[in-house]
Amino acid sequence: MADCIFCMIIDGRIPSAKIYEDARVLVFLDINPVVPGHTLVVPKTHCRMLWDAPTEALEACSAVLKRVAAALMTGLAAEGLNVVQNNGAVAGQEIEHVHFHLIPRYRGDGFKVPWPARPYPEGALERTLAKIKAAL
Ligand code: AMP
Ligand code: ZN
């Protein structure tokens, strides 16, 4: 995709702090880290949303996610790690090329994922479950 920043990074038109690359996946440091070491795992195939992505591209990302997560834990002495994957502007996606954020975590690092959990109203769990299963 000509105007996609991540495609430009994959093509080498924009520089990146590259951690790992193979035929299907590129891994580089996020330019604006939430926590130092914040890393992006990106399939080389341009696809906008998780559900658009070819399964083999996601499988390749999955294997690399595991390997890079382990490297962040040991290499940066992280105490924990978040995997974040945003789809759509409403979900906070700024770059419409599927990517996974790997964020190393430390006690007191100041990052908190806003997670305002609340219980379902009466009957809503069953209705939600039925809609998802019908679409699967
Ligand atoms: P998202 O909001 O999930 O689409 O995340 C996009 C991420 O890409 C943000 O965390 C940005 O900081 C990061 N980003 C944008 N441009 C670059 C770039 N040229 N190199 C590395 N990371 C970038
Ligand atoms: Zn792209």
Side-chain angles (χ1 to χ4, degrees):
M1 277 282 286
D3 59 350
C4 169
I5 289 175
F6 285 173
C7 282
M8 290 184 207
I9 289 175
I10 290 161
D11 292 351
R13 283 178 283 156
I14 293 180
S16 68
K18 202 181 291 184
I19 294 171
Y20 171 83
E21 180 172 23
D22 64 28
R24 294 179 197 272
V25 186
L26 181 66
V27 183
F28 51 93
L29 288 177
D30 194 296
I31 206 166
N32 253 327
V34 172
V35 175
H38 179 168
T39 294
L40 300 174
V41 174
V42 183
K44 288 191 170 177
T45 310
H46 179 86
C47 36
R48 291 173 60 235
M49 305 290 159
L50 185 66
W51 48 89
D52 297 331
T55 300
E56 75 243 16
L58 294 177
E59 284 171 351
C61 284
S62 165
V64 172
L65 276 170
K66 177 180 169 173
R67 195 169 156 202
V68 176
L72 294 176
M73 293 303 294
T74 55
L76 299 181
E79 297 171 291
L81 181 131
N82 288 104
V83 179
V84 179
Q85 202 275 315
N86 302 322
N87 296 276
V90 72
Q93 186 182 20
E94 288 172 9
I95 298 188
E96 289 201 339
H97 179 132
V98 165
H99 54 281
F100 298 83
H101 298 255
L102 287 180
I103 305 171
R105 300 301 309 276
Y106 304 88
R107 253 173 282 276
D109 62 23
F111 175 47
K112 180 151 175 40
V113 182
W115 200 282
R118 50 194 174 265
Y120 283 104
E122 182 69 28
L125 182 148
E126 292 76 9
R127 288 194 296 277
T128 304
L129 181 64
K131 286 182 193 169
I132 298 168
K133 288 172 77 173
L136 202 60

